[in-house]
Each structure stands twice: as structure tokens, then as C-alpha cells.
Amino acid sequence: MNLKSNEVFIPGAFPKYTYISRQSSEFDISYEVRLTQSLHTVGFLTSIIGPSKTGKTVLCEKVIGTEKMKSFSGSDFKETEDFWVTIARRVGLPLESEQTEQKTMQGQGLSGTREGRASAVTEKYHSNKDKVIQYFIENDWVLVLDDFHYASPNMQMEIAYQLKDAIRKYFKTVVISLPHRSDDAIRKNSDLSGRLNLINIEPWNTKELREIAVTGFDKLGLHIDSSIANDMAQESLSSPQLMQSICLNLCFLLDIDNIDKPKLDSSMLKKAYEMTSLNLLSYKEVARKLKSGPNPRGQKRKTYTINSGNQVDMYELLLKAISVDPPKVSLSIDEIKRRMDAMVSDADKPDRKKIKTTIDQVQSIMQTSEPMYQVFEYKDDKVYILEPLFLFYLRWGRLD
Ligand SMILES: Nc1ncnc2c1ncn2[C@@H]1O[C@H](COP(=O)(O)OP(=O)(O)OP(=O)(O)O)[C@@H](O)[C@H]1O
Ligand SMILES: [Mg+2]
């Protein structure tokens, strides 16, 4: 079978040929086995948490299979519509809600009273809920609530309440969420305690990222040197999506779909990284905003001369320090200082205090901007990169 490079490397969807199975450090089994075991446990809800783009959705697709997985986003649920009605509508299950309501009203002779209407509505909801549950069980479907953090806090509580009862009736559910975002409705819900299976997806390490490249190029009939695979894994930071993108762009540069056994050498990597950064142009504006720092209010900022001969202010210097070799997703203040010292050619170099103040300022710009701008955070004397794609863009994208 002759596979095309874009069938092998898939940065935006399920990677059939380059799916890598990983183990969590919490238990000595793969995430796939863990999820299978969790779904096998009647009366338990599965909660998957992991950083953005680490393969939470892909894991569910792998284990449950796209046919049996009925996926919803947190934002699909509105407070104006019953949870079960939203689900029924999407999976094409007809509900006889209007019919039930009419029948109850006529039959009871209670049509005008509040009690009459309330009992009809409750009955309707009960039957909708039971119908959906039964339909899911008959088809052996699993409800996957993806991006649960997009549901409003009220809706999250309501969903948790509905699920609590449903899981006892053999209804299988997985809730997926980002860390730091409120999923307290699930994990800190005392009604669900003792009935939760927690799966924490950890960031990818270089060994796991390498496997994507090695497996994929092998499928395309090309051996990849381990030094090249290592370099690519390091640049991918902790993101399997970046690795898939880099590999795909490298294939494009090699024209691998048309040329038999093209020569792959390390000189092509830089070009592949630059091409990959073209898919990340949305980070250009983020970089620009952070690099400008707060409004200087007419004051001229102190600048430093860097090795290239250019003059940069503290904000630009900070982004440069974060982006130079080797790429790292966490940096201590000492490390940032060492990087700045090596870059600044003046005798007067920024001290730790100045570095910290600059980071604080950038942090407050991020916090008062949209979520897209929250690309790193400062905690316990360290800068943690929250969005590996941003760091990749800083390293390889055009900033001017
Ligand atoms: N196990 C894996 N093996 C190989 N590639 C993977 C794997 N998991 C994820 N990827 C790559 O990363 C991409 C993103 O994965 P996925 O969409 O599942 O992440 P996510 O955690 O659900 O992200 P989000 O937080 O945005 O919902 C996939 O399209 C795929 O290219
Ligand atoms: Mg997802």
C-alpha cells in the first residue's frame, strides 16, 4: 500500500498510521487500557484532564471508536434547553414531548393549574432522560463531553447532577477538560465522589514525540536518523500536534509523495520549522503585544545592545531570552538571567529584580487579554510555557 504523507501525518485529526500509545507515570498501564478499564466500570464517570492538544480527544476516538463515540462540546448545552433533549436531538432520537404534555393536560383535567403543568414537564423530562439512556445502552454508545470547561458554571452543575443518576443506569460517560479550568462541578462534586475515574494526561516527552516521526517515516519507506528525530522532538516542545505538523512539512519539502527515497538531511529542518510556523500566524499578534509591554506613557525605555548589534528594551529581551536555544517549557529566573547575560553585550546587564518586574508586567498584560494571549505563567520563581505553539512561533516565525 502506497500511503501519502498527508494520510500518515495528521496534525488536525485522528492519526490512524502514527497513533502512539503512551503510559502515564501514575500507573504502569497505557492510557488506552486505563480508559477501557474505566469505561468497563458500571456506575462510574470518567474524567479526563490534560493540557491543550495533548491527545485527549484522539485517545477517546482510539478507545471508543468514532462510531460508538457520541461527542458533544461543553458549549452545545444551553440553560434554555433540557440536557437530554439536546442529546436526543443530535443523535436523531425522536421525542414525543409535545404529545406527552397534551395528553397529561387533557387527561387530568389539570390543564389550567400550575401543578398540572409542572407534573407534565417533570414526567416529560423523566421519559426523555430514560429514552436517551436506553438508546445509548442499546447501541453501546458512549457520551463524550469534550471541552467541558466551555459550559457555563450553572450548566456544569446541572450536567453533573443529571449524570450522577444516569451512570447508575449503565449510561457510559467521559468528561474531558483542561487543567486549571473549572471542572470542579465534576472533580470536586461530593455527589460524584467515589464514583469518578480520573485520568490525567501528562505532557509528552521527547522519546514519545520521536516515535511519531520514526513510525510515520517508516510507513512512508524512509529511515530517519535518530539525530534528526531528536531535533524535531525537541522543537515540538511537548506537543504531538507540532510533531505531526513538522513531519508533514518535511515530507512536503522532500516531495516524498513523488520522489522515491528522497535524501533527508538535517539541513532541511530549519526550512521545515519555518514552514510549520506559517500555520501558527495567529501567535504573531500575541508576540507583538507582549513584546511591546505596557503603555510607556511617553517615557523612553532603557535599551540594551544585544550581540546582533540591535538595541532592545526589557520586553523584547525577555521574549528573546525565552526563545533562544535550547527550547524549554519551563525556565527559572536564574536561567533567564543567564540567557540575558549571554545575549547583552553592554557591561550593564539587567538584574534579577528588573527581570521579575518585567515578567510581572507581561503577566498582567496576558491576564487582561483574551485566553489566546495566556501563553505562559509565572509561578514559584519559574516561567512556565502554557502554549508550546507560541514558543515554537517565537523561535521560527517572523516577528517583524
Ligand atoms: N496518541 C497520539 N499519537 C500521535 N499523535 C497524536 C496523539 N495524540 C494526539 N496526537 C496529535 O495531536 C493532535 C491533537 O490531539 P487532540 O485533538 O486529541 O488533543 P486534545 O487534547 O483533545 O486538544 P484540545 O485541548 O484542543 O481539545 C492530533 O490531531 C494528533 O495530530
Ligand atoms: Mg480535544
Side-chain angles (χ1 to χ4, degrees), residues 10-13 15 18-20 52-58 204 241 244:
I10 305 186
T18 46
Y19 182 90
I20 304 300
S52 143
K53 302 288 179 304
T54 42
K56 301 180 293 295
T57 302
V58 157
W204 286 57
Q241 193 189 32
Q244 296 270 359

Side-chain angles (χ1 to χ4, degrees), residues 282-318:
S282 47
Y283 289 105
K284 186 172 183 164
E285 168 54 22
V286 177
R288 193 204 56 76
K289 187 163 182 175
L290 303 186
K291 197 170 77 173
S292 321
N295 185 346
R297 298 182 202 284
Q299 298 235 322
K300 199 162 167 7
R301 279 188 194 134
K302 178 176 168 52
T303 58
Y304 298 87
T305 316
I306 52 170
N307 299 336
S308 62
N310 288 350
Q311 295 281 318
V312 298
D313 67 13
M314 258 322 266
Y315 296 95
E316 201 167 347
L317 187 62
L318 176 66

